[in-house]
Amino acid sequence: MQKSFEITSSSGNYQVTIGKGLLAASLNKHASAVILIDDFLTGVLPADEKKIIYVTAVEGSKSLEEAAPIVIKLRELGAHRKTHLLAIGGGIIQDVSTFLASIYMRGIPWSYLPTTLLGMVDSCVGGKSSINVHGYKNLIGNFYPPSEVIIDLDFLRTLNAEQMIGGLFEAAKICYARSPSEFAAYLADAPSINMSPDQAERIILRSLRSKQWFIEIDEFDQKERLLLNFGHTFGHALEAATEFRISHGIAVGIGMIVAEEYAKQQTLLTPTGIKCIRQMTSHVETLLHKLPEVAKELRSLDIDLLSEKFDNDKKHLAEQYRIVVPKNDGILELVQVPRTAQGRANIKEAYRVALERVINIFH
Ligand SMILES: NC(=O)c1ccc[n+]([C@@H]2O[C@H](COP(=O)([O-])OP(=O)(O)OC[C@H]3O[C@@H](n4cnc5c(N)ncnc54)[C@H](O)[C@@H]3O)[C@@H](O)[C@H]2O)c1
Ligand SMILES: [Zn+2]
């Protein structure tokens, strides 16, 4: 049975539908659409589909430099102001589509079918695009939500362990940020890489409903929504320092462990808070255990390079680093750390202890 709910947005409300076998119905509904699809997924389209733009889901594709050739393809396929864009893929396809749909002829309608668990539990709602420029990750972007989000659970069948785990880390993060009871309910759904479609559906719904609260109260990232950056500032540096060999979701999971270590080092947590965040990071560790290649990557990581990448993150202010950490009884807060030699050393130490912890999971 398919489920749906509506997200309220200043640029128009949109429906989110979750179920199985939804791709065929979408292709029928938007028979004259231009399809922008991850080239890994070419086999899912009927052979007679003509207006297709293939994009390879690598970081280099979601860049300002790669946007122009796609605009030209849209033009060559005859796309006009009323043309519907159907985007099918993970977060990279979503970022590219959000950006291009927003600028092509000053904006065309579009629908999004997320095909990764990360896309389904997190990025498909919220309307954000993030585009890399000349190697700087997510440097530019905008808000341009689709007119509908269609989550077809059949796409989960081909995802590997790393892709499933990355998605679960984002879902865990959202539920944790929302409330202790939401996180407890997430854990009670027994998230794992071998989830049944029904289990996955429950987790996706829980995660999206939790995220809905943040994006409806703070659509443009001014206050509450910033808490969803938990694990991200630490994680982005891990992605960058490994040239994206550690993927986004996995880096976020490890980033939450770094945040826990920073909070402990600075004695920001009560005993209840320590227990609370520990529940999250032991969930992360249990899942990471299935990915020995991550430990290999971390063992050869240069901590000075990591520290430098952290320093370069665009979310920091001139005089302060900005990080989301658990405080007091484990509730997340946006914390400003002075951008001094001491501040830097503390962050570096939190990374060092956290990475050692992750590497030790595999001993
Ligand atoms: N705009 C946002 O709100 C937002 C939020 C979070 C992440 N992101 C961005 O999204 C990107 C990461 O996204 P992601 O992990 O969802 O996906 P992705 O697009 O990076 O894809 C990851 C891999 O999965 C493959 N893939 C996609 N669907 C598949 C399927 N059904 N079966 C098998 N393989 C499949 C892709 O080909 C690719 O190799 C990052 O660039 C991140 O910055 C954006
Ligand atoms: Zn993320």
Side-chain angles (χ1 to χ4, degrees):
M1 250 266 294
Q2 71 189 50
K3 304 212 166 57
S4 65
F5 63 97
E6 194 175 75
I7 302 269
T8 306
S9 154
S10 59
S11 47
N13 298 358
Y14 52 101
Q15 196 78 16
V16 180
T17 306
I18 309 180
K20 292 183 208 145
L22 302 182
L23 170 65
S26 285
L27 292 172
N28 275 339
K29 180 175 167 190
H30 299 291
S32 55
V34 170
I35 300 170
L36 195 151
I37 187 168
D38 180 339
D39 62 6
F40 175 82
L41 297 167
T42 47
V44 305
L45 295 178
D48 58 353
E49 246 353 300
K50 295 270 181 309
K51 295 184 182 173
I52 308 175
I53 300 175
Y54 296 107
V55 172
T56 306
V58 291
E59 282 294 321
S61 297
K62 52 169 249 185
S63 64
L64 193 57
E65 298 81 357
E66 290 300 316
I70 303 178
V71 170
I72 294 164
K73 278 187 202 146
L74 279 166
R75 186 76 192 96
E76 286 170 356
L77 288 171
H80 51 78
R81 276 195 192 97
K82 301 260 185 264
T83 297
H84 200 89
L85 183 72
L86 202 57
I88 307 172
I92 288 182
I93 301 304
Q94 181 192 344
D95 276 334
V96 171
S97 306
T98 309
F99 185 59
L100 287 169
S102 74
I103 56 170
Y104 188 76
M105 297 196 174
R106 295 200 191 86
I108 56 171
W110 72 292
S111 304
Y112 178 44
L113 283 85
T115 64
T116 58
L117 185 60
L118 189 147
M120 295 180 191
V121 299
D122 182 4
S123 62
C124 69
V125 299
K128 265 193 212 173
S129 75
S130 302
I131 297 291
N132 307 329
V133 184
H134 208 72
Y136 292 104
K137 166 119 179 154
N138 294 349
L139 191 61
I140 60 168
N142 55 1
F143 290 87
Y144 193 73
S147 49
E148 57 182 351
V149 173
I150 300 131
I151 301 176
D152 185 341
L153 297 165
D154 291 342
F155 283 114
L156 293 174
R157 288 195 296 234
T158 46
L159 295 174
N160 64 25
E162 183 192 342
Q163 292 163 329
M164 290 298 286
I165 292 170
L168 289 176
F169 286 167
E170 293 275 23
K173 170 213 74 178
I174 293 169
C175 295
Y176 186 93
R178 179 69 186 95
S179 71
S181 61
E182 211 49 59
F183 184 59
Y186 160 84
L187 289 179
D189 281 334
S192 81
I193 54 174
N194 303 312
M195 296 180 291
S196 69
D198 286 350
Q199 240 180 319
E201 184 183 74
R202 273 198 299 280
I203 287 170
I204 293 164
L205 256 177
R206 182 173 305 291
S207 179
L208 292 181
R209 288 299 217 166
S210 297
K211 182 164 175 182
Q212 181 177 19
W213 181 84
F214 289 95
I215 60 183
E216 289 186 344
I217 204 166
D218 177 23
E219 185 172 4
F220 299 113
D221 248 349
Q222 298 303 305
K223 192 168 174 244
E224 291 85 353
R225 192 172 172 179
L226 291 173
L227 295 181
L228 296 180
N229 284 327
F230 183 33
H232 279 63
T233 311
F234 291 120
H236 283 156
L238 276 162
E239 284 180 81
T242 59
E243 288 169 345
F244 303 104
R245 286 186 300 278
I246 292 196
S247 60
H248 180 73
I250 303 303
V252 168
I254 301 172
M256 293 191 283
I257 299 180
V258 184
E260 179 194 18
E261 286 302 337
Y262 183 82
K264 287 198 307 201
Q265 175 206 90
Q266 297 293 312
T267 56
L268 302 177
L269 291 160
T270 62
T272 307
I274 290 179
K275 248 170 86 181
C276 187
I277 187 64
R278 185 76 193 113
Q279 269 196 307
M280 161 63 96
T281 50
S282 39
H283 173 58
V284 170
E285 286 173 359
T286 305
L287 289 171
L288 277 180
H289 195 243
K290 311 231 176 299
L291 302 175
E293 62 278 15
V294 169
K296 201 169 148 231
E297 201 55 64
L298 296 184
R299 272 191 209 103
S300 59
L301 189 58
D302 174 358
I303 193 111
D304 290 325
L305 176 66
L306 189 57
S307 182
E308 186 191 314
K309 297 287 181 192
F310 176 86
D311 198 58
N312 285 336
D313 194 289
K314 67 178 191 299
K315 292 204 173 72
H316 303 312
L317 305 173
E319 306 289 328
Q320 277 109 8
Y321 296 119
R322 295 212 301 171
I323 51 176
V324 177
V325 290
K327 275 185 80 174
N328 304 315
D329 285 349
I331 302 301
L332 298 180
E333 271 185 42
L334 184 65
V335 166
Q336 309 214 350
V337 178
R339 237 172 150 156
T340 56
Q342 187 59 55
R344 249 187 300 280
N346 291 343
I347 300 276
K348 200 166 164 183
E349 180 59 10
Y351 266 119
R352 194 191 61 73
V353 178
L355 297 192
E356 203 172 279
R357 233 173 98 181
V358 175
I359 290 167
N360 278 334
I361 303 172
F362 299 90
H363 284 160

